[in-house]
Amino acid sequence: MDEAGLLPIGDVAEKFGIRTSALRYYDELGLLKPAGRRAGRRWYGAAELRRLVLIQLYADSGQMPLRDVARILTAAPDDRVSHEVIEKHVDALDRRMARLASARHYLEHHLNCEHDNPSRCPALEEDLRKRADEIIG
């Protein structure tokens, strides 16, 4: 860190566990602009580091592609696009969490089932029949 509180691109990449090429790509997308440049190197301050944390939160926690993160972060303050993008990802996360909860339920049942082989479990067989019937119609 220099006297102005700025970090060079290599230090930022190392601390955040990403490549310097990712930071340059974020710059190209308009997601993250460096606070300044010195001798051709990008330098980042506290505001840019907080924005990088936000980018990573959206990308990791929200499982968003960078194009959606860019749509959120570059939207005008009165533009609803950021809310629409976030709502889409919240809905997708809800669906995924429901599928994961269902999978967990079945796996826990298999662990605790009195039948050694889950394919011999009457409760599972009945549920599988109902699900197949729903799919077939």
Side-chain angles (χ1 to χ4, degrees):
M1 187 174 295
D2 72 352
E3 64 279 349
L6 299 178
L7 289 171
I9 189 170
D11 290 0
V12 172
E14 182 180 332
K15 290 181 184 301
F16 279 81
I18 58 177
R19 296 181 178 190
T20 56
S21 60
L23 291 168
R24 288 190 289 275
Y25 184 58
Y26 295 170
D27 190 0
E28 288 175 28
L29 292 177
L31 285 170
L32 182 68
K33 297 291 182 189
R37 290 179 187 261
R38 292 189 203 142
R41 291 179 66 197
R42 292 167 170 87
W43 288 71
Y44 300 88
E48 293 78 26
L49 299 178
R50 285 190 300 273
R51 186 169 175 104
L52 182 54
V53 169
L54 182 59
I55 291 166
Q56 287 186 321
L57 281 172
Y58 279 137
D60 296 341
S61 301
Q63 300 184 339
M64 292 183 193
L66 285 178
R67 71 183 183 315
D68 285 348
V69 175
R71 289 180 65 201
I72 293 167
L73 296 180
T74 60
D78 59 344
D79 191 346
R80 291 257 330 136
V81 71
S82 60
H83 289 283
E84 292 166 4
V85 170
I86 291 170
E87 286 171 355
K88 177 183 84 171
H89 284 283
V90 167
D91 290 344
L93 286 171
D94 286 343
R95 288 189 305 275
R96 185 166 186 229
M97 288 174 16
R99 287 191 309 270
L100 289 171
S102 178
R104 181 185 180 106
H105 168 76
Y106 279 102
L107 292 175
E108 285 180 340
H109 177 80
H110 289 245
L111 285 175
N112 299 314
C113 184
E114 63 187 48
H115 296 86
D116 290 338
N117 186 332
S119 66
R120 294 190 178 134
C121 174
L124 179 61
E125 181 60 33
E126 176 63 19
D127 188 55
L128 294 176
R129 186 191 59 73
K130 285 180 184 177
R131 287 173 178 255
D133 288 348
E134 288 174 8
I135 293 170
I136 295 171

